[in-house]
Amino acid sequence: MENQASLWSLQKKKTDMIRRSVLLLIIYVIIVYIPVCGQFKIVPLGNTIYEGVFTGNGLLGTMTYLSGKKSVRIDIGRTDVYDHRANSEDKLFDKARLSLGYFNLDLGSAITQSKGEIYLKEAYAVATISTDQGQIKVKTTTLSNDNIILLEVLKKDFTGKYSLNWVADSAISPRMEFSYTQKPKQYLANPVGINGQQGHIKFFEQSLLAGGGYTTAYMLRSTQEKDTYVITVGYSQKGNDFTAKTLDYLRKFDDRKIRAGLMEHRQWWASYYSASTLKLPDSIYQEFYDMQLYKLASATRSDKPAMDLQGPWTSPTPWPAYWLNLNMQLAYSPTFKANHLDIAGSLIQMIDRNKENLRLNVPTSYRYNSIAVGRSSAPDLWSPVLLQKGVSLEQASDGEKELGNLLWLLHSYYQYYRATMSQDVYDRLFPLLKEAVNYHLHLLEKDQRGKYHIAVKTYSPEYPKGFAYNTNYDLSILKWGLKTLLELDNERGGKDSLHTVWDDVLTHLIEYPKNSDGFMIAKDLPYDESHRHYSHLMMIYPFYDVNWDQKEHRELIEESIAHWQSKKQWLQGYSFSGAASMYAMMGRGDDALASLDVLLNKYIKPNTLYAESGPVIETPLAAMASMQELCLQYWNGVLRVFPAVPSKWRDVSFAHFLVDGGNLISAQRKNGKTIAVEIKSQYGGELKVKLDMVSPIVKIHGKGSYTRQVDGLIMLVLDKGTRVSVNEHK
């Protein structure tokens, strides 16, 4: 009987273990395999790009909205079409992003109703237009793997006649249209473009003074119920054969290729969405998050140009370039947790491709070992920084006096390395980081107290009269750069000849300037005027050098954020995404959500785009990162699962979020409590985890070990491929 009872007990334990494993597997499958599949609706469509429906493949894109009482407008964009004249101080004019133009669909009768829908799963958009002559639909698909746009006019319920014509934009810098911008003394116009036709292909050719040009070409395929316009855009910076190549490419794109292209398109997007998921109980935030995921892959990919401020969707703007003192950093910030290195790669390649221009950006005397980048640039990253000892720069532009931009940009490169753990990426990152820090080292001096300080005035981005000594923007970025160099060098034995220099500077760097209100802009420069940029608070976020684990700094953090947010006049959208991320770091999910509520309700446009005088892509994407940080954070060497979930979000789950060390994290929270966490180690290594579970049960599947530390954290040591499941003891 004892043996029987013992056998029954053992069998029961095995059954319980199997049930628990099955439950965790079910949870895991539920988390992972619910892809984005919704529709995003705009009702009614408006008369700007902010009230339209869009598509894109990282190179080409469309935006469909209304144009007057009888017309629909379909903008066409190509992300790499920049003027490319010689380097000059007028780079925002001579090397500006150029808008292509649009198709005008004239319906011949008044529009009575309209709506737009973006089908996220299949990645196409439909504008449904009602008139007194029936209903017509405009469907746009930008094929994922081909430089082709399909513009379909679905006309079976439309009794009228429509016309569709291409309207080209002038090939000039959009910045010329804004009265407050300082114009070049001389600006030669590009040649006037020409319309043409070869057989059944119509096209518009635009030559550029600097060489090459671009061509928009299209052809029509019709059935009784549908007209399909097959569109492409070709671009080259040299030669005169760009039109011939464009027409040849389009001519070969027959019905068979269209069918194959559509199949590949659907497969690509299905694979893209399967990389990670976030499921929220709030439909507004769920829809917003899914739209940002769609927007990222529409705007850029690893084999496409990096995101500038517009993506494929152009509109009159004073910002026809890449902005490098916040915008690009924020735009790429959600790509890592979302497990989309396929998106982040476009930024990494842009940096790698332009290292020599980064060197040309610093004064001649520093070029032997230093690199930098100014405020804005074309895709070539040529943007000089003029800072050097003994040279007065009072008359230079503010953007030429910003020191830390490149180092902050390399923070994204560092995250890319830590996500891939690739030695090839390390070998590219380390010298870039070293030379970016070198420029800072050239500008340091040691005072009588033995403290290093920045011996030249630098400009703190966005702040009025922000040209000052020891800006917190530059000090926080430099501290991150020094810490990261030491960390990376220690991975290979700490043998770099500058290792002791970095350590000495880090140890003796001047303290962050602060006063009774918190962190200042710079030495002798308090935060006294409203300021949308959190450039003076970057030691809090995104670098976490001053963080909530440091109890002695909590009051300082609170005072600094409160004082910044108290001056509301010039706060803008990303002021609230930044504040949300800081509150998330503090574990204050409700405060973070309140900041995001302000952003979504006051600043985000109907189709989730964002504008400040013109379209700027980064702020909604920064909000996407803030939402991720409510659910998962990694800083100060600790992975924090559900660290700041708002109290009203009772049921939350995410799958395959990517964090430091290449670890993939999935977790589920139900009725306000964390019930399951899964960690997959892609490359092996150590991971310290903080959970809100009272009695976690840890199971290791594969080779590895864990210990529970005195502070309640769980330390994991895992081999490559090992999976860890953690669930609450019942």
Side-chain angles (χ1 to χ4, degrees):
M1 289 291 291
E2 286 182 11
N3 287 341
Q4 242 179 347
S6 175
L7 186 61
W8 182 85
S9 176
L10 183 62
Q11 205 165 16
K12 184 176 184 301
K13 286 182 180 178
K14 285 184 177 179
T15 302
D16 288 345
M17 287 176 64
I18 291 170
R19 283 174 177 166
R20 189 179 296 119
S21 297
V22 169
L23 176 63
L24 286 172
L25 181 61
I26 290 171
I27 291 169
Y28 177 73
V29 169
I30 288 172
I31 292 172
V32 173
Y33 294 106
I34 304 180
V36 171
C37 57
Q39 297 172 20
F40 189 90
K41 297 182 180 181
I42 305 288
V43 182
L45 288 169
N47 289 282
T48 72
I49 70 166
Y50 309 109
E51 304 153 293
V53 289
F54 56 86
T55 68
N57 67 5
L59 182 68
L60 301 182
T62 69
M63 179 69 75
T64 305
Y65 52 104
L66 303 184
S67 176
K69 296 180 179 180
K70 298 181 179 181
S71 298
V72 178
R73 172 172 170 156
I74 306 99
D75 290 355
I76 304 296
R78 177 165 167 150
T79 57
D80 62 348
V81 175
Y82 272 73
D83 213 339
H84 56 103
R85 307 182 192 197
N87 292 342
S88 79
E89 62 182 12
D90 297 318
K91 62 181 184 296
L92 291 174
F93 297 89
D94 291 342
K95 303 176 78 170
R97 172 78 180 274
L98 301 175
S99 59
L100 306 181
Y102 62 94
F103 286 99
N104 186 67
L105 181 69
D106 188 338
L107 301 176
S109 57
I111 295 171
T112 57
Q113 286 184 318
S114 67
K115 68 175 180 179
E117 296 169 290
I118 299 176
Y119 291 77
L120 300 179
K121 183 180 178 181
E122 297 88 359
Y124 66 85
V126 176
T128 303
I129 312 297
S130 298
T131 74
D132 56 8
Q133 297 187 65
Q135 187 181 87
I136 196 167
K137 294 185 178 183
V138 181
K139 178 181 177 182
T140 48
T141 309
T142 304
L143 295 183
S144 188
N145 296 344
D146 303 287
N147 293 337
I148 290 290
I149 294 167
L150 301 177
L151 193 169
E152 299 171 82
V153 180
L154 310 176
K155 57 186 181 180
K156 70 172 184 175
D157 297 320
F158 184 65
T159 59
K161 291 186 177 180
Y162 77 86
S163 62
L164 184 121
N165 297 295
W166 174 250
V167 181
D169 289 341
S170 298
I172 62 170
S173 170
R175 199 171 171 87
M176 293 290 287
E177 299 179 24
F178 289 80
S179 60
Y180 56 82
T181 60
Q182 186 175 350
K183 310 297 191 297
K185 294 177 182 178
Q186 288 187 330
Y187 182 79
L188 296 177
N190 281 305
V192 175
I194 57 172
N195 288 295
Q197 184 165 350
Q198 282 191 14
H200 56 290
I201 297 178
K202 295 181 179 180
F203 64 90
F204 180 83
E205 175 183 296
Q206 177 63 63
S207 297
L208 298 175
L209 286 175
Y214 51 93
T215 298
T216 304
Y218 59 102
M219 59 185 179
L220 172 62
R221 289 191 170 94
S222 290
T223 65
Q224 186 174 352
E225 297 185 347
K226 179 175 70 174
D227 292 335
T228 301
Y229 296 86
V230 186
I231 305 160
T232 192
V233 182
Y235 171 61
S236 176
Q237 292 192 356
K238 57 184 179 181
N240 298 314
D241 60 348
F242 56 90
T243 294
K245 289 181 177 179
T246 303
L247 300 187
D248 186 56
Y249 180 82
L250 184 60
R251 194 176 291 113
K252 293 177 180 177
F253 217 86
D254 56 18
D255 289 341
R256 181 187 61 80
K257 283 192 173 182
I258 290 175
R259 288 193 297 272
L262 284 168
M263 182 178 294
E264 291 174 3
H265 175 80
R266 289 187 285 268
Q267 291 170 346
W268 190 95
W269 280 94
S271 175
Y272 172 77
Y273 286 131
S274 70
S276 71
T277 58
L278 172 64
K279 294 299 168 186
L280 302 171
D282 187 316
S283 60
I284 292 174
Y285 278 93
Q286 183 69 68
E287 193 174 61
F288 177 82
Y289 186 89
D290 292 346
M291 275 292 286
Q292 305 324 299
L293 201 57
Y294 171 79
K295 189 187 296 178
L296 278 170
S298 299
T300 188
R301 300 177 189 177
S302 283
D303 60 343
K304 301 295 193 295
M307 275 186 287
D308 60 13
L309 269 64
Q310 300 176 83
W313 313 292
T314 56
S315 186
T317 178
W319 326 119
Y322 291 85
W323 246 255
L324 306 159
N325 63 0
L326 172 134
N327 305 75
M328 284 197 75
Q329 292 90 336
L330 265 55
Y332 280 89
S333 61
T335 61
F336 302 101
K337 280 194 183 67
N339 194 20
H340 278 299
L341 301 181
D342 51 342
I343 302 299
S346 62
L347 172 61
I348 305 309
Q349 292 178 43
M350 181 187 196
I351 296 170
D352 287 339
R353 195 163 50 240
N354 294 299
K355 184 174 179 180
E356 285 312 304
N357 276 344
L358 297 177
R359 189 174 309 285
L360 292 175
N361 287 337
V362 302
T364 306
S365 59
Y366 303 140
R367 288 179 186 169
Y368 69 97
N369 75 346
S370 300
I371 55 177
V373 73
R375 176 177 296 178
S376 60
S377 79
D380 61 6
L381 291 179
W382 182 82
S383 183
V385 182
L386 304 181
L387 298 164
Q388 55 185 316
K389 289 181 180 177
V391 176
S392 174
L393 295 178
E394 296 293 340
Q395 302 304 313
S397 71
D398 292 337
E400 294 170 319
K401 298 179 287 194
E402 292 176 353
L403 175 59
N405 298 342
L406 179 58
L407 257 183
W408 187 11
L409 202 61
L410 292 177
H411 180 250
S412 298
Y413 207 135
Y414 170 75
Q415 291 179 82
Y416 187 83
Y417 162 63
R418 292 299 302 172
T420 62
M421 299 305 295
S422 162
Q423 292 307 300
D424 176 62
V425 176
Y426 178 108
D427 290 340
R428 302 198 312 268
L429 168 62
F430 189 77
L432 288 166
L433 193 62
K434 184 176 176 179
E435 292 200 297
V437 167
N438 279 347
Y439 187 35
H440 293 66
L441 297 181
H442 283 302
L443 303 177
L444 298 181
E445 286 183 357
K446 213 170 193 179
D447 63 20
Q448 292 179 341
R449 298 179 301 143
K451 292 286 188 179
Y452 288 100
H453 63 97
I454 302 173
V456 300
K457 287 183 176 182
T458 64
Y459 190 76
S460 183
E462 305 283 347
Y463 195 73
K465 302 177 183 177
F467 190 43
Y469 289 105
N470 295 312
T471 68
N472 271 325
Y473 176 73
D474 290 317
L475 289 174
S476 60
I477 290 172
L478 175 57
K479 283 194 74 173
W480 173 81
L482 291 166
K483 285 182 176 182
T484 305
L485 279 173
L486 289 166
E487 172 200 314
L488 293 175
D489 193 38
N490 284 334
E491 288 185 19
R492 295 191 175 180
K495 298 177 182 179
D496 194 276
S497 61
L498 290 177
H499 190 101
T500 56
V501 174
W502 302 328
D503 189 52
D504 178 54
V505 174
L506 180 62
T507 302
H508 298 100
L509 191 63
I510 192 172
E511 297 82 8
Y512 296 122
K514 57 182 180 292
N515 61 12
S516 59
D517 292 321
F519 288 114
M520 301 165 64
I521 298 296
K523 179 178 179 288
D524 300 325
L525 185 61
Y527 174 69
D528 283 343
E529 299 181 44
S530 184
H531 182 36
R532 62 183 177 177
H533 200 308
Y534 46 92
S535 54
H536 64 303
L537 300 180
M538 287 173 53
M539 72 293 288
I540 300 173
Y541 180 84
F543 298 130
Y544 301 105
D545 185 48
V546 177
N547 61 65
W548 205 244
D549 284 352
Q550 302 160 347
K551 293 182 180 179
E552 69 276 15
H553 288 149
R554 288 186 175 184
E555 186 176 353
L556 174 61
I557 292 170
E558 288 183 299
E559 289 172 345
S560 298
I561 298 171
H563 187 56
W564 170 46
Q565 291 279 301
S566 71
K567 297 184 182 298
K568 301 184 181 300
Q569 181 181 3
W570 298 114
L571 297 182
Q572 287 292 334
Y574 61 75
S575 309
F576 295 95
S577 66
S581 291
M582 295 178 200
Y583 291 135
M585 181 266 293
M586 299 160 70
R588 297 181 178 176
D590 288 345
D591 290 339
L593 187 61
S595 283
L596 291 174
D597 283 345
V598 174
L599 171 60
L600 266 64
N601 293 331
K602 185 176 180 180
Y603 295 96
I604 298 298
K605 303 299 184 183
N607 61 3
T608 82
L609 292 187
Y610 175 76
E612 290 183 27
S613 300
V616 276
I617 202 169
E618 81 293 320
T619 294
L621 298 174
M624 180 188 184
S626 300
M627 292 169 63
Q628 293 168 342
E629 289 157 2
L630 297 176
C631 302
L632 190 68
Q633 298 173 25
Y634 181 89
W635 50 269
N636 204 22
V638 178
L639 177 71
R640 302 151 199 269
V641 182
F642 293 129
V645 178
S647 57
K648 65 170 67 173
W649 289 5
R650 304 293 288 170
D651 300 335
V652 182
S653 67
F654 61 85
H656 283 175
F657 273 17
L658 180 63
V659 297
D660 188 88
N663 294 291
L664 290 170
I665 315 298
S666 304
Q668 186 175 33
R669 188 173 178 87
K670 194 168 182 63
N671 198 26
K673 294 182 179 180
T674 303
I675 63 170
V677 177
E678 173 141 331
I679 299 166
K680 181 178 180 181
S681 177
Q682 296 189 98
Y683 309 111
E686 297 182 353
L687 184 64
K688 193 181 291 186
V689 184
K690 183 177 182 179
L691 302 170
D692 62 354
M693 293 179 176
V694 177
S695 303
I697 297 175
V698 181
K699 299 290 184 182
I700 294 180
H701 311 277
K703 292 184 178 181
S705 62
Y706 75 94
T707 55
R708 294 182 184 175
Q709 300 186 331
V710 177
D711 54 8
L713 302 181
I714 298 172
M715 172 60 82
L716 300 169
V717 181
L718 306 174
D719 280 9
K720 179 180 180 179
T722 294
R723 184 170 56 86
V724 179
S725 58
V726 187
N727 68 308
E728 181 68 87
H729 179 74
K730 295 183 179 179

